[in-house]
Amino acid sequence: MSILCGLPLLECVYCLACARWAWKRCLHTAGHDSETWGLATAEEFEPVPRLCRYILAVYEEDLRRPLWEPPGGYGINPDWLVLRKTYEDTQGRAPSYILYLDHDHADIVLAFRGLNLAKESDYQVLLDNKLGKKKFDGGYVHNGLLKAAGWVLDAECDVLKELVEKYPNYTLTFAGHSLGSGVAAMLALVVVRHQDKLGNIDRRRIRCYAIAPARCMSLNLAVRYADVINSVVLQDDFLPRTATPLEDIFKSLFCLPCLLCLRCMRDTCIPEEKMLKDPRRLYAPGRLYHIVERKPFRLGRFPPVVRTAVPVDGRFEHIVLSCNATSDHAIIWIEREAQRALDLMLEKDHIMEIPPKQRMERQQTLVREHNEEHKAALQRAVSLSVPHAYAPSEYGTFDVFEHSEDSHKSTGETSDGSSGKSKSKESWNDLIERLFDKDESGHMLLKKSLRDD
């Protein structure tokens, strides 16, 4: 046709299509991902910069003589530090972490550091996974991160249970950055499923903050646990947007920009409906907080704005072609911008001079709005045919699933009505490895009933 008409029509159409794609991709900025989300409030965002500083404190060898203390300090009282585990203590099974008893904020904090590029064990945790390798709670999770979380719980279960029972009004918070964010999210997942292992802790006392989160769980789990897990993303951060498995990312660490560009081109050609219906595809977990501080075609940083939502579709599905994609992943920058954003929120509240009574009413309204938003996200997941997603019951968000679990547990009781005790204590890793399976009809079944010693 091009020869007959004397014009390269097919070539022109192809070039125009490529130019249109390149134009759209170059114009796509991080602000587009969250432009329809609501603004976060100071009350809900207050823990974020504080927990970022706790994570930074994990990198210190001696908190009484800090070497890399940020402006204003870590905000940690060394006398309240319960324990600190290094790579030698964990034997490479999990990243370094600290357990801190925060009396000022009535919080028990377990904080994990991010990926250590010099530690081969961290790469082994990331590489221990394949797409669809590990099932958990009706979805899929990252196998290596789940094993690391199981090791930590097995090691610290007694200490955590003692603290939870000793301080019944304190919250239990898991926090981590990058690799540590995945371990923290898996910890929250397992603890929520087995609250009896920590003294029947109430679900509302359990929190998780995944800073620069890894994509570690399937969409149905990411939405279902949005009332417990919170993910914080700074502007153009590449990791929450990269659907490439973590093991492939860090295999190609030294040519990461090339990998991101190729993945960007590939994902553009895949319809989002197809992505949503892939049960093995992993996502950033829980409720998302997006810190936006730059605008397209403008130089410099602007006053940061924090937007939040529990999205189902449009959940950071497109990589942003930006020179800040890797620098926005740094915990130092996230802490600085999160603190700036919080200061602006508090300044705005101070200018408005909100009375204490109205402030309490606003907090209650915020909790109610978050619950309604969470239920709406669960409903939308069902309407979009997300695999293994189910709508909340009229009596509670998780009544259906928990009732199913209780019915399976009751089948494991002895004939005289007593549950009995197991002959030996099961480790968390063994528990995770053999807990869940599917029968031929696709329903989740417990392989063995759980019994306390």
Side-chain angles (χ1 to χ4, degrees), residues 45 55 75 91 107 149 162 227 229 288 313 333 354 401 419 442:
F45 195 71
I55 294 170
Q91 301 176 352
D107 200 5
E162 180 182 351
D227 61 325
I229 305 175
L288 300 178
D313 46 343
W333 279 112
I354 302 176
F401 198 89
S419 60

Side-chain angles (χ1 to χ4, degrees), residues 277-292:
K277 293 182 180 180
D278 184 357
R280 305 169 302 167
R281 187 180 177 89
L282 303 183
Y283 292 81
R287 169 176 288 275
L288 300 178
Y289 290 89
H290 191 202
I291 305 174
V292 181

Side-chain angles (χ1 to χ4, degrees), residues 61-354:
E61 293 184 1
D62 186 357
L63 286 175
R64 297 185 185 276
R65 299 176 182 85
L67 300 177
W68 303 288
E69 194 172 22
Y74 293 114
I76 285 183
N77 185 341
D79 295 330
W80 296 347
L81 188 66
V82 179
L83 58 85
R84 178 179 180 272
K85 292 292 182 70
T86 63
Y87 281 98
E88 289 72 21
D89 298 320
T90 64
Q91 301 176 352
R93 302 288 297 275
S96 301
Y97 60 89
I98 61 172
L99 179 58
Y100 180 63
L101 190 57
D102 189 355
H103 292 292
D104 291 336
H105 300 91
D107 200 5
I108 304 167
V109 182
L110 191 60
F112 296 85
R113 63 160 290 161
L115 176 73
N116 189 336
L117 296 176
K119 290 292 183 180
E120 183 181 349
S121 58
D122 279 4
Y123 293 100
Q124 291 176 349
V125 172
L126 292 171
L127 296 176
D128 184 14
N129 189 59
K130 290 183 179 179
L131 193 63
K133 179 178 181 179
K134 188 62 181 178
K135 297 179 182 178
F136 185 84
D137 196 9
Y140 290 88
V141 296
H142 189 283
N143 185 61
L145 296 175
L146 185 63
K147 282 186 176 180
W151 186 92
V152 174
L153 272 178
D154 199 21
E156 312 300 345
C157 180
D158 294 336
V159 178
L160 289 174
K161 183 177 181 180
E162 180 182 351
L163 292 175
V164 166
E165 293 178 343
K166 185 176 180 180
Y167 302 98
N169 296 323
Y170 283 29
T171 54
L172 176 61
T173 301
F174 304 109
H177 169 251
S178 190
L179 170 68
S181 71
V183 178
M186 293 296 101
L187 271 169
L189 216 66
V190 176
V191 170
V192 169
R193 289 292 297 147
H194 306 291
Q195 299 163 6
D196 57 312
K197 295 296 181 180
L198 295 183
N200 290 317
I201 182 173
D202 191 346
R203 181 190 181 105
R204 290 171 293 184
R205 292 177 61 191
I206 305 171
R207 303 186 304 174
C208 173
Y209 285 87
I211 313 298
R215 296 170 73 109
C216 57
M217 61 181 68
S218 55
L219 184 57
N220 63 324
L221 297 180
V223 175
R224 188 188 308 164
Y225 288 90
D227 61 325
V228 175
I229 305 175
N230 305 278
S231 292
V232 181
V233 179
L234 175 60
Q235 189 83 17
D236 302 333
D237 189 357
F238 75 95
L239 191 59
R241 295 180 169 84
T242 309
T244 303
L246 292 177
E247 59 272 16
D248 293 339
I249 290 179
F250 291 97
K251 283 178 184 176
S252 310
L253 190 63
F254 297 104
C255 57
L256 183 59
C258 301
L259 177 66
L260 295 181
C261 288
L262 291 174
R263 189 71 191 194
C264 177
M265 296 176 64
R266 179 180 179 273
D267 285 351
T268 304
C269 303
I270 302 177
E272 189 167 358
E273 293 79 8
K274 184 177 180 180
M275 296 181 185
L276 291 175
K277 293 182 180 180
D278 184 357
R280 305 169 302 167
R281 187 180 177 89
L282 303 183
Y283 292 81
R287 169 176 288 275
L288 300 178
Y289 290 89
H290 191 202
I291 305 174
V292 181
E293 53 161 359
R294 291 185 297 273
K295 299 181 181 180
F297 307 112
R298 298 187 186 182
L299 298 177
R301 297 175 181 266
F302 289 80
V305 176
V306 183
R307 301 169 183 161
T308 181
V310 186
V312 179
D313 46 343
R315 195 179 180 89
F316 290 137
E317 287 305 304
H318 298 289
I319 295 175
V320 176
L321 299 178
S322 167
C323 59
N324 299 296
T326 53
S327 62
D328 284 348
H329 186 68
I331 183 66
I332 296 177
W333 279 112
I334 298 174
E335 187 274 331
R336 290 178 183 176
E337 298 305 318
Q339 186 61 55
R340 284 183 60 201
L342 179 61
D343 291 341
L344 291 174
M345 295 179 194
L346 294 174
E347 182 181 351
K348 182 179 178 181
D349 288 351
H350 179 70
I351 293 174
M352 295 174 63
E353 296 181 352
I354 302 176

Side-chain angles (χ1 to χ4, degrees), residues 11-29:
E11 291 81 354
C12 289
V13 171
Y14 177 77
C15 291
L16 287 173
C18 291
R20 179 179 179 274
W21 174 86
W23 178 253
K24 289 183 66 177
R25 293 306 301 158
C26 291
L27 285 182
H28 180 80
T29 63

